[in-house]
Amino acid sequence: MMSFSQCIGIGLFLQNGRTMFLAGPGLATLAYFLAGTVMWSSAACLGEMTALFPVKGPIFELPRRFLDESLGYAAGWITWFSWIVLIAAELVAITHIFQFKYPSEQLLADGYPDATLEWMPHISPTVIVMIFLVVLLLLNLLPVRHFGQMEYIFGVIKLCFIVTMIVLNTVLHSWDRAKRGHFWTYNTPYSFGSQNLTLPNGHVVEGVAGKLGGMWEAMLTCLFGMIGFETVAITAAENRDLRTEETVKLATRKISLRIITLYCLATFTVSLNVPYTHPLIQDHAVISFGYGQNSAFVISSVLNHLRVWPYFINCFIIFSASTAGANGIYNASRTLHALASIQDAWPQWGVVQAVRRRLERTYYGVPLGAVVFSWMFGLLGFLGSNASSARILGRMVRCVVVSMLIVYAVIALSFLEFYKTGDDEAIDDKDEPTTRQRYDRNCPQYPYRSHGQWLRALYAFVACSLFILFNGWRTFVSPMHTADFVACYVPILLFAVISMGYQIKLNGWNPLNWRRRASRELQNPPPQFATSSPRRGHIAFKDPENLFTGANLRALVRWIWVWMK
């Protein structure tokens, strides 16, 4: 539920309208599904490795072991970088949402009964950022058990809200108050998919090329709303019930199924009530991020003349962004704390090592130094007071997306190496003959195995690589947008510089001496195995010969409860 709460931030609520505009209503739903499969494939790679080796900082420790030491450390630092930028992005988004003001002329055009629709637009963004920064810090000072319990509650609230939005938009479409007919947003003059893509210079790309370009941009927009799947693996080192509850396996699969299903249903149902050409979701900028009035959910309630719902949705987006920001500090601090526990990950300078030791310390199980240090970068949220904050927020979001795509690609590539471990000669099973069996994916006690995972890892690597390379293709269109280009591609440069820095540290300045270093450490910590019987998530009838018994019914109810709760 911490992972679910992290994913449900501002991405779905403030970006699905942009997705609909870029791809059209039907293709927008498909874009969320395709983006979700990429994220799921990468999350399953990390989940399987973490279930076997629940180490601190798995997002960099496992690539360091199985791929390359320099790439692993670079993945760790760029992960931390993306999380601290995300914290600031959530705070900037909160300032946007407080400035909620639906244009009066658009209210008249949409037939809304009131002349004004706004919510505290005059509150200073500086005050908003300060208040929410303090709240986010206090939440992260809680012991992780209490923090996790609060996140469970927050996740349930978000789950209920999205389900409410799905039901509400379905009812509104069935009600058809304006007598437009069913599926009117899919019919002429609209359509299943957007008919063209407008480039920043005003040129309109028609036909198949326009549809493909719009679909590509829509998937890039979807990805931000799905960042957070990896929270399951990050929390594994603080989870005491890995063997009996099989939490990594079940949580990874649950978060993937829930996010993909809910996002697709939410986008599909709201697109039944909002045409993809609506003025408030039209956005031709290469990178941008809207306000509360640009949310398709708000527009849907306005078009259907609902008076209270726009305010309610706006308030919930603030709540959602706040909890996602708190989770961002958690992920950033745990990643930084894990890096701080490895001396070789830092320069050997005395001052730097002193800082590292402070970041490594914990108090009541909380790495306070890492929490406060990561939290301080939330001060970037003061950029929300800038007149061009929509562009600034969009560039922050694109930096986060590309940074995490690099990490996901590294994880997928690491899994392809990890996949070979079962036959590795480094496995020492002299003292314990059953040790080698724990690496056998066909063993009944193997903690987490997905069918076709090698192909899914390859799919995740290729898809992430393509997203990274071509995420900023529109910035090359004349006139070139330099700031947008930097936002799209600076994470690649940052990752390359960090990787080369570690190669220099380990192998010297001569590139000819740079070598791949992968320890392939397989027994520290010892590989985990599942002890639950029957395996959690599997249905096991007590009497397969006679299905209609009370014991079989209880087994079925337990199986449903495991997957639904």
Side-chain angles (χ1 to χ4, degrees), residues 31 49 95 224 255 283 319 334 360 363 415:
M49 292 188 290
T95 66
F224 177 69
I255 184 65
D283 188 355
F319 165 78
R334 268 44 178 194
E360 188 182 9
Y363 301 87
F415 180 85

Side-chain angles (χ1 to χ4, degrees), residues 47 61 107 115 133 147 189 224 237 264 271 287 296 300 312 346 360 380 400 404 422 446 456 462 504 529:
E61 175 64 24
L107 284 173
L133 266 175
F147 181 83
F224 177 69
C264 288
S271 71
I287 303 175
S300 173
F312 175 67
W346 300 69
E360 188 182 9
L380 292 171
V400 171
M404 291 310 299
Y446 191 80
R456 293 174 65 194
V462 172
I504 292 171
F529 58 93

Side-chain angles (χ1 to χ4, degrees), residues 339-387:
L339 283 166
S341 65
I342 302 176
Q343 184 175 348
D344 291 340
W346 300 69
Q348 296 303 318
W349 306 329
V351 175
V352 175
Q353 288 296 324
V355 172
R356 180 194 65 79
R357 287 190 290 270
R358 288 183 177 276
L359 294 175
E360 188 182 9
R361 296 174 186 171
T362 61
Y363 301 87
Y364 303 103
V366 179
L368 291 184
V371 168
V372 173
F373 189 74
S374 300
W375 167 83
M376 288 175 62
F377 286 88
L379 296 173
L380 292 171
F382 286 115
L383 293 171
S385 59
N386 193 295

Side-chain angles (χ1 to χ4, degrees), residues 190-468:
Y190 314 109
S191 64
F192 180 86
S194 178
Q195 299 301 299
N196 53 59
L197 175 66
T198 302
L199 299 178
N201 61 4
H203 178 70
V204 179
V205 182
E206 302 279 358
V208 176
K211 288 186 176 181
L212 288 176
M215 185 67 175
W216 183 261
E217 291 297 315
M219 286 192 290
L220 283 169
T221 303
C222 295
L223 288 170
F224 177 69
M226 296 184 173
I227 289 176
F229 281 33
E230 65 279 2
T231 305
V232 172
I234 291 175
T235 60
E238 296 182 82
N239 193 310
R240 67 184 182 185
D241 299 317
L242 291 176
R243 292 188 179 188
T244 57
E245 299 298 322
E246 301 186 47
T247 51
V248 173
K249 179 188 75 172
L250 289 174
T252 301
R253 289 178 175 170
K254 282 182 183 181
I255 184 65
S256 304
L257 291 170
R258 286 176 180 172
I259 291 295
I260 294 173
T261 302
L262 290 174
Y263 276 25
C264 288
L265 286 176
T267 302
F268 170 70
T269 53
V270 77
S271 71
L272 296 174
N273 298 307
V274 180
Y276 76 91
T277 57
H278 192 279
L280 290 185
I281 62 174
Q282 292 187 25
D283 188 355
H284 299 295
V286 176
I287 303 175
S288 183
F289 214 96
Y291 291 70
Q293 58 267 26
N294 304 119
S295 171
F297 296 101
V298 171
I299 297 170
S300 173
S301 61
V302 170
L303 289 173
N304 286 278
H305 305 167
L306 302 181
R307 293 177 180 269
V308 178
W309 282 94
Y311 298 105
F312 175 67
I313 295 170
N314 200 62
C315 291
F316 181 83
I317 298 175
I318 294 174
F319 165 78
S320 187
S322 303
T323 54
N327 236 316
I329 295 177
Y330 172 88
N331 287 337
S333 63
R334 268 44 178 194
T335 302
L336 183 61
H337 174 255
L339 283 166
S341 65
I342 302 176
Q343 184 175 348
D344 291 340
W346 300 69
Q348 296 303 318
W349 306 329
V351 175
V352 175
Q353 288 296 324
V355 172
R356 180 194 65 79
R357 287 190 290 270
R358 288 183 177 276
L359 294 175
E360 188 182 9
R361 296 174 186 171
T362 61
Y363 301 87
Y364 303 103
V366 179
L368 291 184
V371 168
V372 173
F373 189 74
S374 300
W375 167 83
M376 288 175 62
F377 286 88
L379 296 173
L380 292 171
F382 286 115
L383 293 171
S385 59
N386 193 295
S388 59
S389 60
R391 290 290 184 90
I392 293 173
L393 176 57
R395 288 164 187 157
M396 283 182 169
V397 166
R398 185 57 62 93
C399 268
V400 171
V401 169
V402 177
S403 298
M404 291 310 299
L405 284 173
I406 293 172
V407 175
Y408 297 150
V410 169
I411 288 171
L413 201 57
S414 303
F415 180 85
L416 295 176
E417 290 295 315
F418 162 81
Y419 193 82
K420 308 171 185 176
T421 55
D423 300 322
D424 201 292
E425 296 180 358
I427 300 175
D428 182 11
D429 58 354
K430 295 178 181 178
D431 298 326
E432 180 56 58
T434 62
T435 298
R436 187 174 294 272
Q437 296 180 10
R438 299 185 184 179
Y439 300 93
D440 183 2
R441 299 181 84 247
N442 295 316
C443 176
Q445 291 184 306
Y446 191 80
Y448 179 15
R449 179 174 70 92
S450 297
H451 297 291
Q453 185 56 42
W454 189 89
L455 288 176
R456 293 174 65 194
L458 187 62
Y459 166 66
F461 174 72
V462 172
C464 289
S465 300
L466 292 175
F467 280 134
I468 293 165

